[in-house]
Amino acid sequence: MDSPHDTLVLVSKTFGLFYLIALSVAVLVYVYWPSNRRKFDRAAQAILQGEDKPWR
Amino acid sequence: MVAQLTKSERQVALVILLALTIVGLIFAGAGKDDPIGVHGFLIMACAIAAIFAVISASAEPEPSPERLDTYYDDPSKIGIVLAMAWAAVGMLVGFWVALLLAFPDLTFDAGWASFGRLRPVHTSGVIFGFGGNALIATSFYVMQRTSRARLPDQLSPLFVLFGYNLFCLLAATGYLMGITQSKEYAEPEWYADIWLVIVWVTYLVLYLRTLARRQEPHIYVANWYYLAFVLVVAMLHIVNNLAVPVGLGSAKSYSLFSGVQDAMTQWWYGHNAVAFFLTAGFLGMMYYYLPKRAGRPLFSYRMSIISFWGITFLYMWAGSHHLHYTALPQWVQTLGMTFSVMLLVPSWSAAANALLTLNGAWHKVRDDATLRFMMVAAVFYGLTTFEGSFLAIRPVNALSHYTDWTVGHVHAGALGWVAMITFGAIYASVPWLWKRDAMYSARLVEVHFWFAVTGTIIYVISMWNSGIIQGLMWRTYTPEGTLAYSFVDSLIEMHPYYIARAIGGLFFLIGTLVGCYNIWMTVRGEALPAATEPAGDIPAPAIAARQPAE
Ligand code: HEM
């Protein structure tokens, strides 16, 4: 640990890699979680109707 | 406009404007020997004009409580008009600087008319003036519709909009006087930067407050993109502009960073400005207006979420591809290169998602130039991101860097993607906002479309040619091992392409002016009579594609 630069390199090469992999896995799990399917389908349809006025 | 404000909001507005007048006065006094003094007067003039506007409307009755049953669309309307005005000015100056490159004598020996000062007027005018206003205007529209909630108050959207335009005005007039901190796309000096922070944080809070009022549990994906745009631009802007001003009476400041750190911070900012200003926000626009106009849900909502996280996380690390072969450590360059190449995946999935959404609506694309604007935008988005990932590869960048190839890439993105999706969104929302049956003239939308496409193609192809020739000439050696061409040789070679580029730009500008006229006539035209006006938000005929193309 001789310079901030070396520390930075170390962090990018270790933590950076796993952080990115963990993040990708988290996103994929969220997206493909079966019970989320209905929510997504609904959201995609929702902009096409029923936007007439604010709910209150 | 002021009539829409409640009594207490009018009072708060007056307090803000008074404070702004005082700030202007301080700058005008402290900076009487410095260009910042001129800006002091400008700030004062704007604030006082606004004070008059508020006071002269003070006799108007308060808005009725029924307003809460409708969306608050004044800021979106004003934003769209301002966006088109900035587009006209910014693109006109763009045409001018294009001519300057072909005919350098056109500076007339005036400081303010030199290339170095006019170029940022063009870039800021189109990116921040046109693009920024369009993003703010459409984000207000989209956040309200998708949340089915009205903006939480009447004042803060106007503050965001006008405050932002004051920033743009300070930027553009400052460049003409020679005020710049020499950071590309972040040229405005410290006082304008601080002002933008205030405006931008208000914008972020406003967005979150509106979303907090929604009834839907799930937040529609377009909002994710708009929010990423607002949030990340705040972060980028604050970090890149950390600086110490010389004094209250001086426009000049010194950056907190120096050397290669400064370069890296600047291009971390610069590339994420591309990513979050010129991409994320406009993707938000695309994910709302394209399905809406096509009358079809997104091809894959899941894919839109995957691309969202891909784009937000990969872009953050890509900035160093602007600094290949510099003093930046090699591994940082490699990191930027790798992430740029990976970026192709989420970028293309966004472009593909848009195009696949149109499956089953291609007859509408044929008949409806508004939807066609959006379709072409998605195609150019795919093209530009492919090109970007390619240019980011170090040996490719060795050829392209410093050449017009970069400029060609920029304009495939800026004209083909950003401007096209914006025009599509504007043509879609103008009749919806002003409750018109349709645009004043569908034929003029068609005319605009073809001018824009022709202009973009001429522009991009001439810059590709010019850039590659430049790059090759600079690296051609004689058998003796010396450079075969001098820099001036390459410059002479560029001349015809610079003229072609100016012509392409002129096409694009004419299209924009046609658009301004068309929007103006639509706004001035008659609203649908109240009797036939449907109960809904969008006038019924406007959704169905019904322009007779044959
Ligand atoms: C995957 C996406 C993208 C990647 C990886 C990418 C990559 C690049 C690269 C490598 C450069 C040249 C840097 C140099 O040699 O100096 C560049 C420049 C530029 N790109 Fe992109 N690009 C992408 C998408 C876009 C999009 C969608 C736009 C929208 C307008 C855009 C706008 C720009 C601008 C304005 C510059 C010029 C920066 C300067 O002033 O030097 N890019 N990009």
Side-chain angles (χ1 to χ4, degrees), chain A residues 5 9 12 19 23 27 31-32 39-40 42-56, chain B residues 68-71 145 148 150 213 215-216 218 220 288 291-292 296-297 301-302 305 309 313 331 536-537:
Chain A
H5 176 253
V9 176
S12 336
Y19 150 80
L23 201 102
V27 170
V31 165
Y32 285 102
K39 187 163 79 181
F40 295 153
R42 220 180 92 97
Q45 290 289 346
I47 60 162
L48 299 177
Q49 69 247 321
E51 294 194 336
D52 294 359
K53 58 198 199 106
W55 56 270
R56 112 84 267 184
Chain B
L68 299 178
D69 289 332
T70 57
Y71 296 114
R145 266 57 178 193
R148 299 183 182 26
R150 183 183 157 93
R213 293 157 54 85
Q215 237 187 356
E216 291 279 314
H218 181 78
Y220 184 67
Y288 180 81
K292 189 89 183 165
R296 299 176 59 80
Y301 195 83
R302 286 173 165 169
I305 297 178
W309 290 110
F313 277 87
W331 69 271
D537 179 38

Side-chain angles (χ1 to χ4, degrees), chain B residues 247-373:
Chain B
L248 206 56
S250 167
K252 176 117 194 75
S253 68
Y254 288 92
S255 173
L256 228 53
F257 309 101
S258 62
V260 74
Q261 281 88 351
D262 184 31
M264 187 61 250
T265 312
Q266 158 61 20
W267 283 108
W268 168 76
Y269 165 89
H271 195 71
N272 283 310
V274 168
F276 289 90
F277 208 105
L278 294 175
T279 299
F282 293 96
L283 281 173
M285 217 182 248
M286 181 183 88
Y287 278 123
Y288 180 81
Y289 287 98
L290 187 135
K292 189 89 183 165
R293 184 75 182 187
R296 299 176 59 80
L298 264 186
F299 168 72
S300 165
Y301 195 83
R302 286 173 165 169
M303 194 152 94
S304 73
I305 297 178
I306 299 180
S307 349
F308 174 81
W309 290 110
I311 285 175
T312 36
F313 277 87
L314 298 182
Y315 256 120
M316 275 291 156
W317 307 100
S320 55
H321 65 221
H322 290 263
L323 297 168
H324 281 326
Y325 302 103
T326 62
L328 196 71
Q330 184 86 353
W331 69 271
V332 186
Q333 301 177 23
T334 309
L335 184 84
M337 172 170 99
T338 317
F339 273 82
S340 306
V341 173
M342 290 194 289
L343 249 177
L344 190 61
V345 176
S347 304
W348 270 30
S349 67
N353 211 350
L355 293 175
L356 290 170
T357 301
L358 293 174
N359 261 354
W362 288 103
H363 60 289
K364 291 189 190 166
V365 177
R366 184 195 60 199
D367 294 340
D368 178 10
T370 303
L371 190 57
R372 213 178 315 126
F373 263 116

Side-chain angles (χ1 to χ4, degrees), chain B residues 184-185 267 274 315 321-322 385 388-389 391-392 397 401 409-410 413-414:
Chain B
E184 202 177 7
Y185 314 122
W267 283 108
V274 168
Y315 256 120
H321 65 221
H322 290 263
T385 49
S389 299
L391 290 177
N397 201 260
H401 193 65
H409 163 68
V410 171

Side-chain angles (χ1 to χ4, degrees), chain B residues 95-149:
Chain B
F95 177 55
W96 186 354
V97 290
L99 286 179
L100 267 179
L101 286 173
F103 309 103
D105 288 340
L106 288 176
T107 53
F108 314 118
D109 288 334
W112 66 268
S114 62
F115 181 80
R117 294 196 187 177
L118 286 177
R119 181 188 182 272
V121 175
H122 161 63
T123 52
S124 291
V126 291
I127 299 176
F128 298 123
F130 169 54
N133 273 306
L135 286 171
I136 294 176
T138 57
S139 72
F140 287 161
Y141 185 94
V142 172
M143 71 170 92
Q144 294 186 87
R145 266 57 178 193
T146 53
S147 312
R148 299 183 182 26

Side-chain angles (χ1 to χ4, degrees), chain B residues 2 55 71 93 96 122 129 156 247 332 344 386 482 524 548:
Chain B
V2 180
I55 290 181
Y71 296 114
V93 180
W96 186 354
H122 161 63
S156 55
V332 186
L344 190 61
F386 175 75
T482 60
R524 282 195 31 189

